[in-house]
């Protein structure tokens, strides 16, 4: 008798898991197809028409899918057009840097519906910073027309210990923070925290224009520091503590300057925004910020070009190491470096070519991000929906009837 009960329980569980994976498959296909028909979904997914009909009916009842008119198919047959409801499938994205944070509502297609930017006056380790972010986020949600399905925080290079504790490298060394539960209790939504370069990598995987469905893609964020997000077959490679891809603290000169992390000659000491700007201090004409530096570089200022091209050489060494470690098919550069334009990327390519075996160089594509919005912002939607679609039944709460 016990054996039969267990078998039934296992059978019910496997049926539930199968339905969940089918729902996730359908939502992902609809995200890629846009407006489509049930027949097109059946063909693209390999699922029988009755399964598609059952799932789509459930998704329509819960407001996740909407019918939008009719489509003309083969032999002039007409079918009902369906698409994901972008108003229902939105997330609250919170992108934090050292100097500002951005609040946004982002839909499952990576479109930003609302956005606010706020300055950060204190250092990140000051408890008031995240209290302020939490308060502003709560007010931002109160103004939102539609309630998001979840919240994602993109943070600048924390080392995760677990879901609720993050370890930041600050000017005073390593500091531990614990805020996930505070955000969930206050905002009454599931909260997912991710390192910003991992967020960028997921943003590129979901919304970028390269046609990679499988394989390895690396996204490198540049700005306050340098970090890499590594995605293999759609999954972020986090490592044991979530620190995988922290290339900014990979030493490229073991006798180099001391870094606050405790290492010497770290990559970001040579090619972060701050490091490149520091190199311009000896120039007769003062350069006040990275935007001004990028403008001078693009205009062909030879003194600025010498400083920036040196940083490009060091950055190329970092990418060469990444290529040897992970053998990606594509490396995408986002953040501040995109402001420097194609001449900078050309210099990086020269450095990469000099530091890896020709066969590897010929089989990796180095490019700037093609996304109009910051991948470390819209990638928050990819991170949150990737997690939610592991348990998609949470989306199937029926809409209240009018």
């Amino acid at each position: 008798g016990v054996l039969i009960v267990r078998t039934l329980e296992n059978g019910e569980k496997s049926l539930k898991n199968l339905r969940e994976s089918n729902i996730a498959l359908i939502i992902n296909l609809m995200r890629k197809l846009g407006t489509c028909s049930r027949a097109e979904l059946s063909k693209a997914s390999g699922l029988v028409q009755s399964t598609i009909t059952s799932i789509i009916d459930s998704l329509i009842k819960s407001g996740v899918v909407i019918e939008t008119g009719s489509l003309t198919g083969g032999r002039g047959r007409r079918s009902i057009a369906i698409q994901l409801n972008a108003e229902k499938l939105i997330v609250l994205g919170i992108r934090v840097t050292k100097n500002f944070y951005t609040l946004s509502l982002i839909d499952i297609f990576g479109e930003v519906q609302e956005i606010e930017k706020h300055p950060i006056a204190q250092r990140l380790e000051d408890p008031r910073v995240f209290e302020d972010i939490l308060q502003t986020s709560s007010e931002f949600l109160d103004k939102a027309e539609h309630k998001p399905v979840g919240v994602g925080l993109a943070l600048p290079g924390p080392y995760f210990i677990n879901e609720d504790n993050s370890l930041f490298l600050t000017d005073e060394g390593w500091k531990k923070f614990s805020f996930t539960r505070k955000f969930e209790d206050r905002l009454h939504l599931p909260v997912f925290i991710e390192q910003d370069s991992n967020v960028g990598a997921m943003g590129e995987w979901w919304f970028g224009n390269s046609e990679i469905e499988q394989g390895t893609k690396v996204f490198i964020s540049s700005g306050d520091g340098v970090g890499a997000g590594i995605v293999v077959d759609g999954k972020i490679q986090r490592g044991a503590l979530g620190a995988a891809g922290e290339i900014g603290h990979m030493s490229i000169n073991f006798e180099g300057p001391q870094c606050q992390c405790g290492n010497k000659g770290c990559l970001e000491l040579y090619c972060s925004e701050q490091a490149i700007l520091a190199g311009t201090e000896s120039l007769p004409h003062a350069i006040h910020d990275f935007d001004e530096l990028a403008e001078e570089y693009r205009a062909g200022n030879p003194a600025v070009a010498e400083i920036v091209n040196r940083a490009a050489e060091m950055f190329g060494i970092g990418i060469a190491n990444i290529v040897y470690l992970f053998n990606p098919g594509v490396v995408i550069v986002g953040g501040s470096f995109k402001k420097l334009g194609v001449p900078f990327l050309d210099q990086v390519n020269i450095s990469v070519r000099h530091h890896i075996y020709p066969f590897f160089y010929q089989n990796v594509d180095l490019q700037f991000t093609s996304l109009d919005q910051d991948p470390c912002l819209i990638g928050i939607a990819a991170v949150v929906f990737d997690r939610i679609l592991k348990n998609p039944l949470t989306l199937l709460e029926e809409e209240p009837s009018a």
Side-chain angles (χ1 to χ4, degrees):
V2 174
L3 180 62
I4 293 170
V5 169
R6 280 181 181 165
T7 304
L8 286 170
E9 284 177 354
N10 290 342
E12 286 174 9
K13 188 176 179 182
S14 63
L15 279 173
K16 179 174 176 282
N17 290 345
L18 180 62
R19 181 167 170 79
E20 286 195 335
S21 65
N22 285 342
I23 291 169
L25 173 63
I26 293 304
I27 291 175
N28 262 319
L29 279 172
M30 292 186 73
R31 176 177 66 82
K32 293 171 186 174
L33 292 171
T35 303
C36 59
S37 67
R38 290 166 175 81
E40 284 173 319
L41 281 176
S42 179
K43 186 177 179 182
S45 66
L47 298 175
V48 296
Q49 190 80 35
S50 58
T51 301
I52 296 291
T53 300
S54 170
I55 289 173
I56 293 299
D57 285 351
S58 299
L59 293 174
I60 288 172
K61 280 179 185 174
S62 57
V64 172
V65 167
I66 50 177
E67 294 181 327
T68 60
S70 61
L71 293 169
T72 303
R75 299 180 185 174
R77 291 176 184 159
R78 300 188 72 76
S79 55
I80 297 170
I82 52 175
Q83 66 182 45
L84 293 176
N85 183 0
E87 291 183 347
K88 171 92 173 178
L89 296 174
I90 56 171
V91 305
L92 169 61
I94 307 171
R95 161 90 156 109
V96 182
T97 71
K98 285 182 181 175
N99 300 314
F100 65 88
Y101 65 93
T102 305
L103 304 178
S104 56
L105 292 176
I106 314 160
D107 68 29
I108 195 167
F109 299 105
E111 297 293 326
V112 177
Q113 309 291 356
E114 302 282 344
I115 190 164
E116 286 182 4
K117 194 171 178 179
H118 299 267
I120 294 176
Q122 299 87 16
R123 290 177 174 179
L124 279 185
E125 57 264 32
D126 189 317
R128 289 174 295 177
V129 171
F130 283 98
E131 285 297 330
D132 181 49
I133 292 172
L134 183 52
Q135 176 63 32
T136 317
S137 300
S138 181
E139 292 166 3
F140 186 73
L141 279 181
D142 288 343
K143 293 183 288 183
E145 198 174 337
H146 302 280
K147 185 182 177 183
V149 298
V151 180
L153 277 91
L155 301 178
Y159 285 59
F160 296 126
I161 300 169
N162 57 40
E163 282 296 311
D164 196 47
N165 289 310
S166 298
L167 201 63
F168 280 95
L169 180 59
T170 72
D171 293 336
E172 300 168 7
W174 296 102
K175 299 277 183 180
K176 192 196 297 187
F177 293 86
S178 179
F179 44 71
T180 309
R181 288 193 190 95
K182 281 183 186 175
F183 273 71
E184 287 188 333
D185 291 346
R186 180 79 169 272
L187 303 179
H188 309 293
L189 288 166
V191 174
F192 306 100
I193 296 180
E194 192 55 81
Q195 194 168 331
D196 54 6
S197 50
N198 287 342
V199 171
M202 284 297 286
E204 287 290 343
W205 190 277
W206 273 49
F207 308 122
N209 68 358
S210 63
E211 297 299 315
I212 293 183
E213 291 292 325
Q214 290 185 309
T216 303
K217 183 184 278 193
V218 172
F219 171 81
I220 300 182
S221 60
S222 55
D224 295 333
V226 182
I230 302 121
V231 176
V232 179
D233 297 342
K235 294 177 182 174
I236 297 169
Q237 303 302 295
R238 291 188 177 85
L241 299 177
E246 198 59 49
I247 62 168
H249 296 290
M250 171 175 63
S251 177
I252 59 169
N253 180 4
F254 66 89
E255 292 181 335
Q258 183 74 46
C259 180
Q260 61 185 5
C261 77
N263 203 357
K264 285 187 176 181
C266 291
L267 181 65
E268 68 179 43
L269 296 178
Y270 300 94
C271 55
S272 65
E273 264 189 38
Q274 187 179 352
I276 298 172
L277 282 170
T280 68
E281 288 172 3
S282 60
L283 298 181
H285 169 62
I287 290 177
H288 301 98
D289 56 34
F290 200 83
D291 286 340
E292 188 180 339
L293 177 133
E295 195 176 326
E296 292 282 341
Y297 181 74
R298 292 194 307 269
N301 181 321
V304 170
E306 187 179 341
I307 293 160
V308 172
N309 290 344
R310 175 67 176 156
E313 182 184 2
M314 300 306 229
F315 187 52
I317 293 170
I319 291 177
N321 289 339
I322 282 283
V323 170
Y324 273 130
L325 281 170
F326 297 103
N327 189 206
V330 60
V331 175
I332 297 165
V333 179
S336 304
F337 286 168
K338 191 176 180 183
K339 298 174 184 177
L340 298 169
V342 173
F344 175 78
L345 200 63
D346 290 343
Q347 291 296 318
V348 176
N349 254 314
I350 290 167
S351 176
V352 174
R353 191 173 73 237
H354 286 164
H355 290 98
I356 60 174
Y357 191 68
F359 179 74
F360 284 97
Y361 178 74
Q362 291 156 13
N363 287 279
V364 63
D365 183 17
L366 178 63
Q367 58 186 244
F368 279 132
T369 176
S370 62
L371 296 171
D372 294 329
Q373 289 280 0
D374 177 8
C376 297
L377 176 68
I378 64 171
I380 295 171
V383 168
V384 173
F385 281 112
D386 184 64
R387 296 284 289 276
I388 283 176
L389 289 179
K390 288 179 171 54
N391 182 22
L393 296 181
T394 56
L395 296 173
L396 295 192
E397 296 169 2
E398 290 197 14
E399 292 270 273
S401 42

